[in-house]
Amino acid sequence: MKQLFIFLLALSFIISGCSSETTTTKKTGDNSNANIVESSTPEIGGSLVLSDTGKFETISCRERDVEIDQEATANTYTFTGECKTLVVDGVSNKVYVEKVGAIEVKGISNKVYYKSGLDGEKPKIKKEGTSTIVEQEKETKEEVKKEK
């Protein structure tokens, strides 16, 4: 019986290591709710699914497909780098993304702000749900000065 328990425990560790990504969270500055999430896996691509409540996080996208699922509520996520696709569901989530190929927003009161699409193209956008917003982020004066 004890050997079966140890075997099952070891098997669960192996399965969880293969199916999920390990992340570390760092607290930032003044806002104790703000976190930077860094993956311990350096792979590019794949997918990331988030279903948190009340999180403020900055996440490196690394050319992944990102889904904020229907359980997610009142989060603020900032994705740096390039995301292949971004699907936002749930309630009252605010998402900032640097570069993205396609955006799908559904749920209630979700807002997505993107800087640019991949390869300089505008991302493909699909909006559903109630009170959802998808907008291109305006450049700040500092960004305009840097480009000149």
Side-chain angles (χ1 to χ4, degrees):
M1 185 69 160
K2 185 177 178 183
Q3 290 175 337
L4 178 61
F5 175 75
I6 292 171
F7 172 77
L8 292 175
L9 184 62
L11 184 61
S12 70
F13 282 118
I14 291 169
I15 291 171
S16 68
C18 294
S19 65
S20 65
E21 175 178 313
T22 304
T23 58
T24 55
T25 303
K26 295 180 181 179
K27 295 287 183 191
T28 59
D30 299 331
N31 186 348
S32 63
N33 290 329
N35 299 313
I36 297 175
V37 176
E38 296 176 347
S39 172
S40 64
T41 56
E43 294 97 24
I44 293 177
S47 62
L48 174 64
V49 178
L50 302 168
S51 59
D52 298 309
T53 298
K55 296 283 184 168
F56 291 85
E57 295 183 339
T58 299
I59 302 168
S60 177
C61 209
R62 296 192 327 265
E63 299 177 23
R64 291 184 281 190
D65 295 310
V66 176
E67 178 185 353
I68 299 167
D69 74 13
Q70 65 187 16
E71 308 260 331
T73 304
N75 299 293
T76 301
Y77 293 113
T78 301
F79 292 99
T80 60
E82 296 182 357
C83 297
K84 286 198 292 186
T85 61
L86 174 64
V87 177
V88 180
D89 200 347
V91 179
S92 298
N93 295 294
K94 190 180 288 186
V95 180
Y96 299 90
V97 60
E98 193 172 348
K99 290 184 176 185
V100 63
I103 300 169
E104 180 179 350
V105 182
K106 45 193 174 181
I108 300 169
S109 297
N110 290 310
K111 297 175 180 145
V112 175
Y113 302 97
Y114 67 93
K115 286 191 178 181
S116 67
L118 299 179
D119 301 324
E121 300 290 323
K122 184 177 177 180
K124 295 175 185 172
I125 297 172
K126 181 178 178 183
K127 273 186 3 174
E128 298 176 359
T130 306
S131 301
T132 59
I133 294 173
V134 177
E135 292 180 356
Q136 185 169 15
E137 228 180 326
K138 306 279 190 259
E139 290 181 322
T140 64
K141 290 179 182 179
E142 290 88 30
E143 289 173 334
V144 173
K145 286 179 185 178
K146 288 179 185 177
E147 290 177 5
K148 291 183 179 181

PDB file of all heavy atoms in Angstrom, residues 5 12 14 23 28 34 44 50 53 55 74-75 79 83-85 93 95-96 98 107-108 113 120 124 126 129-130 132:
ATOM      1  N   PHE A   5       1.190   4.311  -2.888  1.00  0.00           N
ATOM      2  CA  PHE A   5       1.071   5.737  -2.577  1.00  0.00           C
ATOM      3  C   PHE A   5       2.279   6.500  -3.107  1.00  0.00           C
ATOM      4  O   PHE A   5       2.135   7.557  -3.727  1.00  0.00           O
ATOM      5  CB  PHE A   5       0.919   5.939  -1.062  1.00  0.00           C
ATOM      6  CG  PHE A   5       0.918   7.386  -0.671  1.00  0.00           C
ATOM      7  CD1 PHE A   5      -0.199   8.176  -0.901  1.00  0.00           C
ATOM      8  CD2 PHE A   5       2.030   7.972  -0.087  1.00  0.00           C
ATOM      9  CE1 PHE A   5      -0.208   9.508  -0.557  1.00  0.00           C
ATOM     10  CE2 PHE A   5       2.027   9.300   0.268  1.00  0.00           C
ATOM     11  CZ  PHE A   5       0.902  10.071   0.024  1.00  0.00           C
ATOM     12  N   SER A  12       2.179  11.824 -10.089  1.00  0.00           N
ATOM     13  CA  SER A  12       1.525  13.130 -10.135  1.00  0.00           C
ATOM     14  C   SER A  12       2.535  14.256 -10.319  1.00  0.00           C
ATOM     15  O   SER A  12       2.269  15.225 -11.017  1.00  0.00           O
ATOM     16  CB  SER A  12       0.674  13.367  -8.888  1.00  0.00           C
ATOM     17  OG  SER A  12       1.480  13.549  -7.759  1.00  0.00           O
ATOM     18  N   ILE A  14       5.414  13.976 -11.932  1.00  0.00           N
ATOM     19  CA  ILE A  14       5.858  13.872 -13.317  1.00  0.00           C
ATOM     20  C   ILE A  14       4.827  14.473 -14.256  1.00  0.00           C
ATOM     21  O   ILE A  14       5.155  15.262 -15.129  1.00  0.00           O
ATOM     22  CB  ILE A  14       6.140  12.392 -13.683  1.00  0.00           C
ATOM     23  CG1 ILE A  14       7.373  11.897 -12.931  1.00  0.00           C
ATOM     24  CG2 ILE A  14       6.334  12.227 -15.199  1.00  0.00           C
ATOM     25  CD1 ILE A  14       7.587  10.405 -13.008  1.00  0.00           C
ATOM     26  N   THR A  23       6.244  29.045 -12.668  1.00  0.00           N
ATOM     27  CA  THR A  23       6.471  30.479 -12.683  1.00  0.00           C
ATOM     28  C   THR A  23       6.946  30.926 -11.317  1.00  0.00           C
ATOM     29  O   THR A  23       6.667  30.301 -10.305  1.00  0.00           O
ATOM     30  CB  THR A  23       5.185  31.257 -13.032  1.00  0.00           C
ATOM     31  OG1 THR A  23       4.194  30.925 -12.080  1.00  0.00           O
ATOM     32  CG2 THR A  23       4.711  30.938 -14.424  1.00  0.00           C
ATOM     33  N   THR A  28       6.644  43.935  -6.709  1.00  0.00           N
ATOM     34  CA  THR A  28       7.285  45.120  -7.252  1.00  0.00           C
ATOM     35  C   THR A  28       6.946  46.332  -6.414  1.00  0.00           C
ATOM     36  O   THR A  28       5.886  46.402  -5.812  1.00  0.00           O
ATOM     37  CB  THR A  28       6.834  45.381  -8.702  1.00  0.00           C
ATOM     38  OG1 THR A  28       5.424  45.540  -8.711  1.00  0.00           O
ATOM     39  CG2 THR A  28       7.236  44.253  -9.618  1.00  0.00           C
ATOM     40  N   ALA A  34       1.123  44.196  -7.286  1.00  0.00           N
ATOM     41  CA  ALA A  34       1.748  44.110  -8.607  1.00  0.00           C
ATOM     42  C   ALA A  34       2.833  43.049  -8.591  1.00  0.00           C
ATOM     43  O   ALA A  34       3.652  42.997  -7.693  1.00  0.00           O
ATOM     44  CB  ALA A  34       2.339  45.464  -9.003  1.00  0.00           C
ATOM     45  N   ILE A  44      10.053  29.070 -26.391  1.00  0.00           N
ATOM     46  CA  ILE A  44       9.242  30.046 -27.098  1.00  0.00           C
ATOM     47  C   ILE A  44       8.060  29.294 -27.681  1.00  0.00           C
ATOM     48  O   ILE A  44       8.186  28.172 -28.145  1.00  0.00           O
ATOM     49  CB  ILE A  44      10.069  30.739 -28.192  1.00  0.00           C
ATOM     50  CG1 ILE A  44      11.146  31.591 -27.535  1.00  0.00           C
ATOM     51  CG2 ILE A  44       9.192  31.577 -29.095  1.00  0.00           C
ATOM     52  CD1 ILE A  44      12.079  32.261 -28.493  1.00  0.00           C
ATOM     53  N   LEU A  50      -4.611  31.627 -17.960  1.00  0.00           N
ATOM     54  CA  LEU A  50      -4.683  32.303 -16.664  1.00  0.00           C
ATOM     55  C   LEU A  50      -6.137  32.356 -16.204  1.00  0.00           C
ATOM     56  O   LEU A  50      -7.032  32.619 -17.011  1.00  0.00           O
ATOM     57  CB  LEU A  50      -4.127  33.721 -16.779  1.00  0.00           C
ATOM     58  CG  LEU A  50      -2.679  33.817 -17.264  1.00  0.00           C
ATOM     59  CD1 LEU A  50      -2.326  35.244 -17.625  1.00  0.00           C
ATOM     60  CD2 LEU A  50      -1.742  33.288 -16.207  1.00  0.00           C
ATOM     61  N   THR A  53      -7.938  35.939  -9.928  1.00  0.00           N
ATOM     62  CA  THR A  53      -8.840  36.987  -9.482  1.00  0.00           C
ATOM     63  C   THR A  53      -8.012  38.063  -8.789  1.00  0.00           C
ATOM     64  O   THR A  53      -7.232  37.762  -7.889  1.00  0.00           O
ATOM     65  CB  THR A  53      -9.890  36.437  -8.498  1.00  0.00           C
ATOM     66  OG1 THR A  53     -10.671  35.450  -9.177  1.00  0.00           O
ATOM     67  CG2 THR A  53     -10.812  37.531  -7.990  1.00  0.00           C
ATOM     68  N   LYS A  55      -5.439  40.018  -9.778  1.00  0.00           N
ATOM     69  CA  LYS A  55      -3.983  40.042  -9.958  1.00  0.00           C
ATOM     70  C   LYS A  55      -3.547  41.258 -10.780  1.00  0.00           C
ATOM     71  O   LYS A  55      -4.257  41.711 -11.660  1.00  0.00           O
ATOM     72  CB  LYS A  55      -3.499  38.784 -10.686  1.00  0.00           C
ATOM     73  CG  LYS A  55      -3.713  37.509  -9.935  1.00  0.00           C
ATOM     74  CD  LYS A  55      -2.689  37.352  -8.857  1.00  0.00           C
ATOM     75  CE  LYS A  55      -2.873  35.998  -8.192  1.00  0.00           C
ATOM     76  NZ  LYS A  55      -1.805  35.633  -7.346  1.00  0.00           N
ATOM     77  N   ALA A  74     -11.405  40.657 -12.588  1.00  0.00           N
ATOM     78  CA  ALA A  74     -10.767  41.869 -12.055  1.00  0.00           C
ATOM     79  C   ALA A  74      -9.244  41.789 -12.015  1.00  0.00           C
ATOM     80  O   ALA A  74      -8.616  42.151 -11.032  1.00  0.00           O
ATOM     81  CB  ALA A  74     -11.335  42.194 -10.677  1.00  0.00           C
ATOM     82  N   ASN A  75      -8.635  41.331 -13.110  1.00  0.00           N
ATOM     83  CA  ASN A  75      -7.182  41.265 -13.214  1.00  0.00           C
ATOM     84  C   ASN A  75      -6.673  42.368 -14.123  1.00  0.00           C
ATOM     85  O   ASN A  75      -7.389  42.839 -15.004  1.00  0.00           O
ATOM     86  CB  ASN A  75      -6.757  39.912 -13.810  1.00  0.00           C
ATOM     87  CG  ASN A  75      -7.180  38.758 -12.946  1.00  0.00           C
ATOM     88  OD1 ASN A  75      -6.693  38.603 -11.843  1.00  0.00           O
ATOM     89  ND2 ASN A  75      -8.104  37.954 -13.445  1.00  0.00           N
ATOM     90  N   PHE A  79       1.388  42.185 -21.017  1.00  0.00           N
ATOM     91  CA  PHE A  79       2.186  41.198 -21.727  1.00  0.00           C
ATOM     92  C   PHE A  79       3.240  41.914 -22.552  1.00  0.00           C
ATOM     93  O   PHE A  79       2.917  42.744 -23.393  1.00  0.00           O
ATOM     94  CB  PHE A  79       1.309  40.329 -22.634  1.00  0.00           C
ATOM     95  CG  PHE A  79       0.383  39.446 -21.860  1.00  0.00           C
ATOM     96  CD1 PHE A  79      -0.942  39.795 -21.667  1.00  0.00           C
ATOM     97  CD2 PHE A  79       0.849  38.265 -21.293  1.00  0.00           C
ATOM     98  CE1 PHE A  79      -1.790  38.988 -20.930  1.00  0.00           C
ATOM     99  CE2 PHE A  79       0.013  37.448 -20.559  1.00  0.00           C
ATOM    100  CZ  PHE A  79      -1.314  37.812 -20.372  1.00  0.00           C
ATOM    101  N   CYS A  83       2.840  38.127 -28.602  1.00  0.00           N
ATOM    102  CA  CYS A  83       1.863  37.067 -28.360  1.00  0.00           C
ATOM    103  C   CYS A  83       1.270  36.680 -29.717  1.00  0.00           C
ATOM    104  O   CYS A  83       0.892  37.553 -30.485  1.00  0.00           O
ATOM    105  CB  CYS A  83       0.726  37.559 -27.471  1.00  0.00           C
ATOM    106  SG  CYS A  83       1.209  38.051 -25.808  1.00  0.00           S
ATOM    107  N   LYS A  84       1.193  35.379 -29.991  1.00  0.00           N
ATOM    108  CA  LYS A  84       0.552  34.965 -31.241  1.00  0.00           C
ATOM    109  C   LYS A  84      -0.930  35.296 -31.194  1.00  0.00           C
ATOM    110  O   LYS A  84      -1.448  35.933 -32.101  1.00  0.00           O
ATOM    111  CB  LYS A  84       0.766  33.478 -31.504  1.00  0.00           C
ATOM    112  CG  LYS A  84       2.180  33.151 -31.940  1.00  0.00           C
ATOM    113  CD  LYS A  84       2.302  31.795 -32.609  1.00  0.00           C
ATOM    114  CE  LYS A  84       2.056  30.660 -31.654  1.00  0.00           C
ATOM    115  NZ  LYS A  84       2.301  29.339 -32.239  1.00  0.00           N
ATOM    116  N   THR A  85      -1.608  34.825 -30.164  1.00  0.00           N
ATOM    117  CA  THR A  85      -3.034  35.132 -29.996  1.00  0.00           C
ATOM    118  C   THR A  85      -3.305  35.480 -28.541  1.00  0.00           C
ATOM    119  O   THR A  85      -2.581  35.061 -27.639  1.00  0.00           O
ATOM    120  CB  THR A  85      -3.932  33.932 -30.382  1.00  0.00           C
ATOM    121  OG1 THR A  85      -3.628  32.829 -29.527  1.00  0.00           O
ATOM    122  CG2 THR A  85      -3.738  33.537 -31.838  1.00  0.00           C
ATOM    123  N   ASN A  93     -11.602  42.315 -16.694  1.00  0.00           N
ATOM    124  CA  ASN A  93     -10.154  42.171 -16.847  1.00  0.00           C
ATOM    125  C   ASN A  93      -9.643  43.280 -17.754  1.00  0.00           C
ATOM    126  O   ASN A  93     -10.297  43.662 -18.719  1.00  0.00           O
ATOM    127  CB  ASN A  93      -9.824  40.803 -17.459  1.00  0.00           C
ATOM    128  CG  ASN A  93     -10.208  39.684 -16.526  1.00  0.00           C
ATOM    129  OD1 ASN A  93      -9.637  39.537 -15.462  1.00  0.00           O
ATOM    130  ND2 ASN A  93     -11.204  38.902 -16.921  1.00  0.00           N
ATOM    131  N   VAL A  95      -6.236  44.255 -19.990  1.00  0.00           N
ATOM    132  CA  VAL A  95      -5.047  43.618 -20.541  1.00  0.00           C
ATOM    133  C   VAL A  95      -4.325  44.593 -21.460  1.00  0.00           C
ATOM    134  O   VAL A  95      -4.937  45.212 -22.334  1.00  0.00           O
ATOM    135  CB  VAL A  95      -5.418  42.342 -21.332  1.00  0.00           C
ATOM    136  CG1 VAL A  95      -4.176  41.691 -21.900  1.00  0.00           C
ATOM    137  CG2 VAL A  95      -6.186  41.371 -20.452  1.00  0.00           C
ATOM    138  N   TYR A  96      -3.019  44.715 -21.250  1.00  0.00           N
ATOM    139  CA  TYR A  96      -2.154  45.510 -22.109  1.00  0.00           C
ATOM    140  C   TYR A  96      -1.200  44.536 -22.781  1.00  0.00           C
ATOM    141  O   TYR A  96      -0.590  43.713 -22.114  1.00  0.00           O
ATOM    142  CB  TYR A  96      -1.347  46.526 -21.285  1.00  0.00           C
ATOM    143  CG  TYR A  96      -2.234  47.503 -20.541  1.00  0.00           C
ATOM    144  CD1 TYR A  96      -2.677  47.222 -19.253  1.00  0.00           C
ATOM    145  CD2 TYR A  96      -2.621  48.694 -21.137  1.00  0.00           C
ATOM    146  CE1 TYR A  96      -3.501  48.110 -18.574  1.00  0.00           C
ATOM    147  CE2 TYR A  96      -3.444  49.593 -20.460  1.00  0.00           C
ATOM    148  CZ  TYR A  96      -3.876  49.298 -19.183  1.00  0.00           C
ATOM    149  OH  TYR A  96      -4.692  50.178 -18.517  1.00  0.00           O
ATOM    150  N   GLU A  98       1.949  44.196 -25.810  1.00  0.00           N
ATOM    151  CA  GLU A  98       2.893  44.923 -26.642  1.00  0.00           C
ATOM    152  C   GLU A  98       2.665  44.638 -28.129  1.00  0.00           C
ATOM    153  O   GLU A  98       2.399  45.545 -28.906  1.00  0.00           O
ATOM    154  CB  GLU A  98       4.318  44.550 -26.230  1.00  0.00           C
ATOM    155  CG  GLU A  98       5.367  45.451 -26.804  1.00  0.00           C
ATOM    156  CD  GLU A  98       6.736  45.156 -26.193  1.00  0.00           C
ATOM    157  OE1 GLU A  98       6.854  44.432 -25.200  1.00  0.00           O
ATOM    158  OE2 GLU A  98       7.702  45.685 -26.756  1.00  0.00           O
ATOM    159  N   GLY A 107     -16.964  37.836 -22.733  1.00  0.00           N
ATOM    160  CA  GLY A 107     -17.211  38.046 -21.309  1.00  0.00           C
ATOM    161  C   GLY A 107     -17.886  39.377 -21.057  1.00  0.00           C
ATOM    162  O   GLY A 107     -18.580  39.917 -21.917  1.00  0.00           O
ATOM    163  N   ILE A 108     -17.630  39.932 -19.877  1.00  0.00           N
ATOM    164  CA  ILE A 108     -18.289  41.172 -19.469  1.00  0.00           C
ATOM    165  C   ILE A 108     -17.249  42.193 -19.024  1.00  0.00           C
ATOM    166  O   ILE A 108     -16.389  41.907 -18.191  1.00  0.00           O
ATOM    167  CB  ILE A 108     -19.273  40.911 -18.306  1.00  0.00           C
ATOM    168  CG1 ILE A 108     -20.337  39.901 -18.748  1.00  0.00           C
ATOM    169  CG2 ILE A 108     -19.933  42.204 -17.835  1.00  0.00           C
ATOM    170  CD1 ILE A 108     -21.196  39.377 -17.623  1.00  0.00           C
ATOM    171  N   TYR A 113      -5.875  46.592 -24.591  1.00  0.00           N
ATOM    172  CA  TYR A 113      -5.151  47.674 -25.246  1.00  0.00           C
ATOM    173  C   TYR A 113      -3.873  47.090 -25.824  1.00  0.00           C
ATOM    174  O   TYR A 113      -3.091  46.478 -25.104  1.00  0.00           O
ATOM    175  CB  TYR A 113      -4.818  48.779 -24.241  1.00  0.00           C
ATOM    176  CG  TYR A 113      -6.057  49.344 -23.568  1.00  0.00           C
ATOM    177  CD1 TYR A 113      -6.457  48.885 -22.321  1.00  0.00           C
ATOM    178  CD2 TYR A 113      -6.826  50.309 -24.199  1.00  0.00           C
ATOM    179  CE1 TYR A 113      -7.599  49.384 -21.708  1.00  0.00           C
ATOM    180  CE2 TYR A 113      -7.967  50.815 -23.600  1.00  0.00           C
ATOM    181  CZ  TYR A 113      -8.355  50.349 -22.348  1.00  0.00           C
ATOM    182  OH  TYR A 113      -9.487  50.846 -21.753  1.00  0.00           O
ATOM    183  N   GLY A 120       4.074  44.470 -38.075  1.00  0.00           N
ATOM    184  CA  GLY A 120       3.587  45.786 -38.454  1.00  0.00           C
ATOM    185  C   GLY A 120       2.143  45.814 -38.929  1.00  0.00           C
ATOM    186  O   GLY A 120       1.632  46.861 -39.296  1.00  0.00           O
ATOM    187  N   LYS A 124      -5.837  40.786 -35.970  1.00  0.00           N
ATOM    188  CA  LYS A 124      -7.218  40.383 -36.242  1.00  0.00           C
ATOM    189  C   LYS A 124      -7.973  40.505 -34.923  1.00  0.00           C
ATOM    190  O   LYS A 124      -7.512  40.021 -33.896  1.00  0.00           O
ATOM    191  CB  LYS A 124      -7.268  38.955 -36.750  1.00  0.00           C
ATOM    192  CG  LYS A 124      -6.587  38.784 -38.087  1.00  0.00           C
ATOM    193  CD  LYS A 124      -6.558  37.336 -38.501  1.00  0.00           C
ATOM    194  CE  LYS A 124      -5.760  37.221 -39.789  1.00  0.00           C
ATOM    195  NZ  LYS A 124      -5.507  35.843 -40.173  1.00  0.00           N
ATOM    196  N   LYS A 126     -11.695  40.143 -32.768  1.00  0.00           N
ATOM    197  CA  LYS A 126     -13.055  39.609 -32.655  1.00  0.00           C
ATOM    198  C   LYS A 126     -13.577  39.999 -31.280  1.00  0.00           C
ATOM    199  O   LYS A 126     -12.955  39.681 -30.268  1.00  0.00           O
ATOM    200  CB  LYS A 126     -13.043  38.089 -32.811  1.00  0.00           C
ATOM    201  CG  LYS A 126     -14.409  37.456 -32.733  1.00  0.00           C
ATOM    202  CD  LYS A 126     -14.318  35.952 -32.942  1.00  0.00           C
ATOM    203  CE  LYS A 126     -15.680  35.305 -32.813  1.00  0.00           C
ATOM    204  NZ  LYS A 126     -15.585  33.840 -32.956  1.00  0.00           N
ATOM    205  N   GLY A 129     -19.560  39.550 -26.268  1.00  0.00           N
ATOM    206  CA  GLY A 129     -19.809  39.845 -24.863  1.00  0.00           C
ATOM    207  C   GLY A 129     -20.445  41.201 -24.650  1.00  0.00           C
ATOM    208  O   GLY A 129     -20.899  41.859 -25.577  1.00  0.00           O
ATOM    209  N   THR A 130     -20.437  41.628 -23.403  1.00  0.00           N
ATOM    210  CA  THR A 130     -21.070  42.879 -23.002  1.00  0.00           C
ATOM    211  C   THR A 130     -20.010  43.872 -22.543  1.00  0.00           C
ATOM    212  O   THR A 130     -19.155  43.534 -21.724  1.00  0.00           O
ATOM    213  CB  THR A 130     -22.051  42.606 -21.835  1.00  0.00           C
ATOM    214  OG1 THR A 130     -22.955  41.581 -22.236  1.00  0.00           O
ATOM    215  CG2 THR A 130     -22.824  43.850 -21.463  1.00  0.00           C
ATOM    216  N   THR A 132     -17.328  45.116 -23.914  1.00  0.00           N
ATOM    217  CA  THR A 132     -15.928  44.775 -24.173  1.00  0.00           C
ATOM    218  C   THR A 132     -15.301  45.849 -25.050  1.00  0.00           C
ATOM    219  O   THR A 132     -15.961  46.438 -25.904  1.00  0.00           O
ATOM    220  CB  THR A 132     -15.797  43.403 -24.851  1.00  0.00           C
ATOM    221  OG1 THR A 132     -16.514  43.422 -26.082  1.00  0.00           O
ATOM    222  CG2 THR A 132     -16.317  42.296 -23.970  1.00  0.00           C
TER     223      THR A 132
END
